[in-house]
Amino acid sequence: MPSSSPAEPEQTTNRRDQPLTLARLRQLVRQDWAGLPGKTLVVLSGDSEGNRYSPFSTYSRSRYAPIYGLTGDIYPLESELAEDRELRELFPEIPDNAVAALVLYPLD
């Protein structure tokens, strides 16, 4: 994940173990994600029925393909597959309907 400014309180050695604040989310939207196309799908990882809640922690740029209704799987970007042979072996086929997505993950 991109580094934060020194003034942000959530800065730690392992950012994946910390919830993101609204200030950090605003920074991501203005800076890190500003160049993404407006049609980029935003995908949430988690329970659609709201049985559990967890703070937003991290994100990835991936590809998303629905499998059952709107529930689906994510896949690596083409650039990631081109650079990593082991990743290509894990994902030998990507569905034709996979689209660029910004995937948000909760803090576990």
Side-chain angles (χ1 to χ4, degrees), residues 21-97:
T21 63
L22 183 56
R24 177 69 174 131
L25 181 60
R26 287 177 177 148
Q27 178 186 6
L28 288 169
V29 170
R30 282 192 311 264
Q31 296 173 8
D32 297 51
W33 301 340
L36 294 176
K39 65 181 183 178
T40 301
L41 188 62
V42 177
V43 177
L44 299 175
S45 169
D47 183 344
S48 66
E49 295 185 18
N51 292 322
R52 295 182 341 167
Y53 297 90
S54 183
F56 168 39
S57 176
T58 191
Y59 68 93
S60 70
R61 291 184 57 202
S62 300
R63 290 185 284 175
Y64 166 81
I67 296 175
Y68 305 106
L70 295 177
T71 302
D73 285 328
I74 61 167
Y75 300 91
L77 297 172
E78 291 177 18
S79 59
E80 294 172 315
L81 291 172
E83 296 174 4
D84 189 331
R85 182 181 60 81
E86 289 181 13
L87 201 55
R88 286 191 303 273
E89 290 174 4
L90 288 172
F91 296 94
E93 293 183 36
I94 307 295
D96 292 337
N97 64 340

Side-chain angles (χ1 to χ4, degrees), residues 1 10 12-20 57-58 107-108:
M1 176 178 311
E10 70 267 82
T12 65
T13 57
N14 187 351
R15 294 189 48 91
R16 291 186 180 270
D17 293 338
Q18 297 295 315
L20 286 162
S57 176
T58 191
L107 180 66
D108 287 320

